[in-house]
């Protein structure tokens, strides 16, 4: 009799063990000669050497499946333990499988072009109106690169610019004050990575979410870096950000030139960068339009209505242009 320790540190324990440890109970039933105890990412098993070795092999196969698809069902456990190939979810155009195995894939032609541009370039601009899925797809591509171990970390950033509200006097420390600006990035990650694993990634800085100002002085290697809301960067800020790109790293920059929240006297760094870098090789650009909006169907009509209103008002400088927040 020997004791063997199996570590499942690549997977979310909640997804692996199942609700009320139902998956672990099934595994126990499939290995009746072994005694086992599971706590966190550690499984201790006692029994014959050959049987514990076989147990470890099957647990690793189950872990690999769960990492890829973010779920583990009774049918999959039975198939893998019995040596059969489990039925796999559809693969067509799937970027990653999110929480509970939800497939996340490109939903329109321009999202497909963004996926292609990410693979072909180290720097990609994704431009277009709200609701087209630019940021969501960008983060999905970043998470996939992390899960496939193509990079060691994700850096997600936004410029901390108010869109009409003043948040500087909110109570709390620095993190409490800046989190409202970064919440859309958290929302996307929570769709793609189970809560326990996401918390671990955040605590160990595998995933870093920070305002743009925190990027100064860094060299970002072995990472996917996403800059969201880039239309609200200044000329100096976006130049600083672009020059953070290190070895084995990719950048995706998203923005919407119709939603600039900078003071009128300040030029958007995004619009200047697009002009300056227009002929530089190795940079991809995907432009989304109103027809690419994947939120509620009413959002597309709202965007069109505001564009029509702004067009009518452009010849009356006394009235400020209205942009969709």
């Amino acid at each position: 009799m020997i004791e063997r320790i199996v570590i499942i540190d690549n997977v979310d324990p909640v997804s692996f063990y199942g609700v009320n440890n139902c998956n672990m109970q099934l595994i126990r039933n499939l290995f009746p000669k072994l005694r086992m105890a599971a706590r966190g990412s550690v499984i201790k098993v006692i029994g014959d050497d050959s049987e514990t070795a076989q147990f470890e092999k099957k647990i690793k196969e189950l872990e690999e499946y769960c990492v890829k698809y973010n779920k583990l069902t009774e049918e999959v456990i039975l198939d893998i333990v019995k040596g059969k190939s489990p039925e796999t979810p559809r693969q067509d155009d799937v970027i990653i499988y999110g929480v509970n195995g939800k497939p996340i894939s490109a939903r329109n032609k321009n999202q497909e072009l963004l996926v292609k541009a990410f693979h072909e370039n180290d720097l990609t601009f994704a431009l277009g109106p709200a609701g087209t899925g630019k940021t969501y797809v960008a983060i999905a591509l970043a998470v996939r690169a992390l899960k496939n171990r193509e990079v060691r970390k994700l850096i997600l950033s936004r410029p901390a610019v108010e869109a009409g509200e003043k948040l500087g006097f909110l109570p709390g420390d620095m993190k409490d004050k800046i989190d409202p600006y970064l919440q859309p990035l958290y929302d996307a990650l929570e769709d793609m990575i189970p809560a326990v694993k996401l918390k671990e990634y955040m605590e160990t800085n595998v995933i870093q979410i920070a305002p743009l100002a925190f990027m100064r002085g860094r060299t970002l290697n072995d990472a996917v870096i996403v800059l969201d809301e880039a239309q609200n960067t200044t000329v100096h800020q976006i130049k600083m950000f672009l020059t953070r790109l290190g070895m084995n790293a990719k950048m995706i920059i998203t923005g919407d030139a119709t939603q600039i929240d900078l003071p009128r006297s300040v030029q958007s760094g995004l619009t200047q960068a697009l002009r300056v870098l227009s002929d530089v090789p190795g940079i991809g650009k995907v432009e989304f339009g109103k027809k690419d909006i994947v939120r509620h169907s009413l959002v597309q009509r709202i965007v069109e209505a505001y564009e029509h209103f702004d067009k009518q008002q452009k010849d009356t400088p006394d009235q400020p242009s209205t942009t969709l927040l």
Side-chain angles (χ1 to χ4, degrees):
M1 300 288 284
I2 68 163
E3 178 180 277
R4 191 181 295 267
I5 296 177
V6 183
I7 308 294
I8 53 167
D9 54 355
N10 292 322
V11 73
D12 172 50
V14 176
S15 301
F16 189 87
Y17 295 138
V19 178
N20 295 323
N21 287 328
C22 61
N23 290 344
M24 199 62 206
Q25 187 56 51
L26 175 59
I27 293 170
R28 284 193 178 93
N29 294 338
L30 293 170
F31 291 92
K33 295 181 181 180
L34 301 178
R35 287 187 294 148
M36 61 190 74
R39 181 181 294 274
S41 61
V42 177
I43 303 175
K44 293 183 180 180
V45 59
I46 299 175
D48 180 76
D49 185 32
S50 61
E51 288 198 17
T52 57
Q54 178 69 2
F55 173 84
E56 181 175 16
K57 178 176 180 293
K58 294 301 180 183
I59 289 295
K60 287 299 179 182
E61 290 178 17
L62 291 170
E63 179 188 22
E64 183 179 346
Y65 183 97
C66 193
V67 167
K68 184 172 184 179
Y69 298 109
N70 259 332
K71 68 175 182 178
L72 200 57
T73 64
E74 179 179 325
E75 292 76 15
V76 169
I77 294 171
L78 289 170
D79 285 342
I80 289 178
V81 171
K82 292 178 180 180
K84 300 178 182 178
S85 296
E87 183 178 344
T88 57
R90 67 180 181 87
Q91 299 281 346
D92 298 342
D93 300 323
V94 173
I95 301 172
I96 57 168
Y97 292 88
V99 174
N100 297 322
K102 172 188 173 185
I104 296 173
S105 57
R107 296 176 59 183
N108 54 50
K109 184 65 176 177
N110 277 325
Q111 288 189 5
E112 292 174 2
L113 289 176
L114 178 54
V115 174
K116 185 172 184 288
F118 175 77
H119 291 306
E120 295 177 351
N121 302 280
D122 289 336
L123 171 60
T124 302
F125 287 94
L127 313 168
T132 51
K134 308 180 301 294
T135 302
Y136 198 79
V137 172
I139 293 178
L141 289 166
V143 171
R144 180 172 71 177
L146 180 65
K147 291 182 72 170
N148 292 344
R149 300 188 178 184
E150 298 167 13
V151 296
R152 293 189 295 108
K153 57 191 174 186
L154 305 185
I155 314 291
L156 311 180
S157 184
R158 268 186 160 203
V161 176
E162 294 101 337
E165 305 87 355
K166 297 294 182 182
L167 301 179
F169 294 100
L170 286 175
D173 58 16
M174 177 65 75
K175 183 177 185 301
D176 294 327
K177 290 178 183 292
I178 64 177
D179 271 356
Y181 297 108
L182 306 174
Q183 191 58 49
L185 305 180
Y186 289 108
D187 291 343
L189 288 171
E190 287 167 357
D191 268 2
M192 302 173 194
I193 303 174
V196 173
K197 197 66 182 175
L198 178 57
K199 182 180 179 183
E200 177 190 324
Y201 281 151
M202 300 284 286
E203 290 175 347
T204 57
N205 285 328
V206 171
I207 296 179
Q208 302 170 30
I209 303 179
L212 180 59
F214 286 30
M215 297 294 106
R216 188 173 298 278
R218 302 183 64 182
T219 300
L220 305 175
N221 299 312
D222 297 310
V224 177
I225 310 109
V226 178
L227 174 61
D228 191 32
E229 298 289 332
Q231 75 276 3
N232 289 327
T233 60
T234 66
V235 170
H236 295 298
Q237 283 176 330
I238 200 162
K239 182 180 178 182
M240 176 274 293
F241 180 82
L242 290 168
T243 54
R244 300 307 94 197
L245 188 66
M247 302 301 294
N248 188 39
K250 284 178 175 280
M251 273 186 182
I252 306 179
I253 296 178
T254 72
D256 176 7
T258 69
Q259 296 197 68
I260 297 174
D261 299 312
L262 295 167
R264 288 181 178 272
S265 60
V266 179
Q267 182 182 4
S268 168
L270 176 63
T271 56
Q272 188 196 69
L274 291 170
R275 294 196 301 271
V276 172
L277 303 176
S278 60
D279 297 324
V280 176
I283 298 177
K285 184 172 75 169
V286 180
E287 297 192 41
F288 292 78
K290 297 187 296 292
K291 293 182 179 179
D292 297 312
I293 291 174
V294 292
R295 290 180 185 166
H296 193 289
S297 58
L298 184 59
V299 174
Q300 181 174 338
R301 300 197 294 274
I302 291 172
V303 170
E304 290 173 346
Y306 272 97
E307 286 184 351
H308 179 67
F309 178 81
D310 285 341
K311 187 175 181 180
Q312 289 181 324
Q313 299 298 309
K314 69 178 182 179
D315 295 327
T316 55
D318 291 339
Q319 297 195 19
S321 176
T322 306
T323 57
L324 179 63
L325 302 180

